[in-house]
Each structure stands twice: as structure tokens, then as C-alpha cells.
Amino acid sequence: MANSAPTSRVVRRVVKGMPTSDGAGVKLRRVIGQPQLPDLDPFLMLDEFGTDRAEDYIAGFPDHPHRGFETVTYMLDGRMRHRDNHGNEGVLVPGSVQWMTAGRGLVHSEMPEQQEGRMRGFQLWLNLPAREKMTAPKYQEFGPERIPNATPAPGVAVKVIAGQVDGISGPIFQPATDPTYLDIALEPGAEFTQALPADYAAFLYVFEGTLQVSASSEASLLRTHELGVLGEGGELRLKGLTAGAGGKVARVILVAGRPLREPVAKYGPFVMNTREELQQAFEDFQRGRF
């Protein structure tokens, strides 16, 4: 019997980010982790930050703790310095990625390394499975020159942060959730198809322009600052709007990962499996055990 073609994923929900602030008053748009979309297993939070106004970001994110999950910071514009209480320090520049596994706990800060100009990017939180929540903290950090570029079709450019496109693999490796994280640019009318494990959670977030998702009868448009929660299926098909339809270059992040399907107990910067583990996290932090 011939194998059937993979099912194309379609947009099941569209969510718009909610303006909020975090850290010492940094203004941002919270997309996952708000009432419309509290989480999307294994993804706990997605923030988009983007402003030309220094007063919106200059206070940064002073020392704060994390335990039990991972944070992924992807810088589009601007410079951010991070430090933690284990002696790690570095500067994130445009196009760089920091994938931090908080594990059993650390205290860190993320502060702007600029007094003016544009600051833009994303921070994503991914859950860790119960067996890895108390691992030692670690970083996977890559400058823009170490993020490979793929050109899988005419008019399509993809920065491969995690996962694989057209035989090109991203540098991030996390077996627990097996993530895909792509920054995709589509010229007007360009088409792109990406294979994905059929049952993985996946979403698209458009940060420039408008694009079409799927070529089926359920095709839909996603516009700037909209997140599309994708249904299951073995492939994703995207198309940039033609110039005649008002299309311009569209940019979108595609993120997918294996759901953990475990209980989640979270409060602020701690994400565990039970209320008792949360209480232990607070106690350990207060006693300086991070």
C-alpha cells in the first residue's frame, strides 16, 4: 500500500499578545502565559519585546531566580548582558541565542548593554520533565555567526536555531522536548514546507508582515503580532502574500516540541510538578541554596 501524504497543519487558534511589563518595568507583549493561552505544553511562556524607547527597557531584569525549566532568549536588535550567581556572564548581540537550563536553580540578571536605540527579541520558557528539574544549571549560547542559514525554496530564508531545515541542523540540542525553533523570512508569493513530528505541540508567531498558513480549505492568514496555535500534522505549509495582495516580506518564528504531559505546579520563577516541590523551591531560594 502506498504511504499517504502527511497531513498539513492548520491554525486552530489565533492569540494576540497582551501588553504587560516585567523585571524592573520592561514593557513587553506576553503571548503565551496570559489568560487567552496560559501554556502550550511544553511551552510555558512567550514574551516579545520590541521598542525604540530606552525608557521602556533601560531598567532591565535585575537579579531574579529560576528553577525547573529553561529560558530561551533570541535577540533581533540590541545588546543584553546576563550574569548569574555561578559566575557565568556574557553579552547577547543581534542574532544571538541563549538557551539556559535553570535546572535546580540559579539567580541571574539580564540588563541592557545600551543607553539608546532599538531593543527587540523574544524570550520563550520551556518546561523540563520531572527527571531533569533538579539537574545542574547550564547554558547553550551561540552568536549570530553560529546560527546556520537555510534557503530551502526561492524567496525563503530560514535561521535554524533548533531542529533541521533542508538538511541543515541548528546548534541547540535538548532531547527531552526535541525542539524546533526557526526564524523564517518569506518574500511575497514565496512558499515553504516544513516537516514536523505529527503529534508535537507547535505555534507560529508573526512579527513582521502577513502570511498564509496551509494550502488546504482551512487555510488562514496570520498577521503581525498574532500567534497561531497549530493543529497536529506531519508538515506545515506557509506562503507569503503576493505583492498584488499587499504582501511584503513576512517574518515569523516557528516553534515546536514534544509535549511532556506531566502535572505542572508553577508560581512566578519556579515550575515544578507538585505544590510541595514549589514550597521546597521557595525555601531553598530563601536559604541561599541556589
Side-chain angles (χ1 to χ4, degrees):
M1 180 181 290
N3 291 328
S4 58
T7 304
S8 186
R9 289 184 179 236
V10 298
V11 174
R12 293 301 185 202
R13 290 183 61 194
V14 176
V15 177
K16 291 192 173 183
M18 184 179 74
T20 186
S21 64
D22 209 335
V26 176
K27 292 185 179 179
L28 47 83
R29 183 177 280 104
R30 181 149 295 159
V31 196
I32 301 175
Q34 51 132 321
Q36 288 185 68
L37 189 59
D39 55 41
L40 185 65
D41 182 22
F43 310 112
L44 302 163
M45 191 184 81
L46 176 69
D47 285 345
E48 178 190 24
F49 51 93
T51 178
D52 298 313
R53 293 159 46 93
E55 58 266 35
D56 289 345
Y57 63 74
I58 202 68
F61 302 89
D63 281 350
H64 57 281
H66 289 301
R67 172 180 278 184
F69 63 102
E70 302 183 295
T71 68
V72 184
T73 306
Y74 176 36
M75 296 293 293
L76 296 171
D77 299 292
R79 296 166 59 87
M80 188 87 77
R81 179 174 294 277
H82 71 90
R83 293 188 177 96
D84 71 19
N85 62 333
H86 294 266
N88 299 297
E89 180 175 351
V91 176
L92 297 175
V93 301
S96 62
V97 178
Q98 182 199 76
W99 198 290
M100 182 185 79
T101 303
R104 61 177 174 250
L106 50 70
V107 179
H108 79 152
S109 63
E110 299 153 295
M111 302 298 291
E113 188 84 348
Q114 61 191 59
Q115 299 295 318
E116 59 184 11
R118 194 174 203 197
M119 179 77 73
R120 185 170 69 138
F122 297 96
Q123 186 165 95
L124 174 71
W125 288 14
L126 282 94
N127 204 1
L128 283 169
R131 67 181 183 275
E132 293 185 19
K133 285 190 176 294
M134 296 297 285
T135 57
K138 66 178 181 180
Y139 293 86
Q140 299 179 74
E141 195 163 296
F142 300 95
E145 73 286 350
R146 296 184 63 192
I147 306 298
N149 294 284
T151 52
V156 180
V158 184
K159 295 182 180 180
V160 188
I161 295 166
Q164 190 174 90
V165 175
D166 204 28
I168 296 173
S169 297
I172 301 295
F173 184 65
Q174 169 49 283
T177 47
D178 186 28
T180 292
Y181 194 138
L182 310 177
D183 174 351
I184 305 164
L186 291 163
E187 299 280 349
E191 298 185 28
F192 172 56
T193 300
Q194 174 67 21
L196 292 170
D199 61 342
Y200 278 23
F203 67 85
L204 292 163
Y205 184 77
V206 180
F207 59 98
E208 292 177 15
T210 301
L211 54 79
Q212 176 181 305
V213 184
S214 179
S216 73
S217 59
E218 295 184 79
S220 53
L221 297 182
L222 279 181
R223 298 170 174 83
T224 306
H225 302 316
E226 289 184 341
L227 180 144
V229 178
L230 299 174
E232 293 190 348
E235 68 176 23
L236 173 67
R237 303 176 71 179
L238 303 179
K239 183 176 182 179
L241 295 192
T242 61
K248 55 182 181 179
V249 175
R251 288 190 69 187
V252 57
I253 56 170
L254 165 62
V255 182
R258 179 190 295 117
L260 296 177
R261 299 185 174 95
E262 293 182 350
V264 174
K266 61 183 177 180
Y267 189 87
F270 308 133
V271 183
M272 304 304 290
N273 295 101
T274 68
R275 184 176 178 84
E276 291 72 25
E277 290 169 342
L278 268 187
Q279 292 171 334
Q280 186 64 53
F282 275 102
E283 181 180 324
D284 289 347
F285 172 60
Q286 291 165 350
R287 295 190 176 188
R289 295 173 181 160
F290 277 31

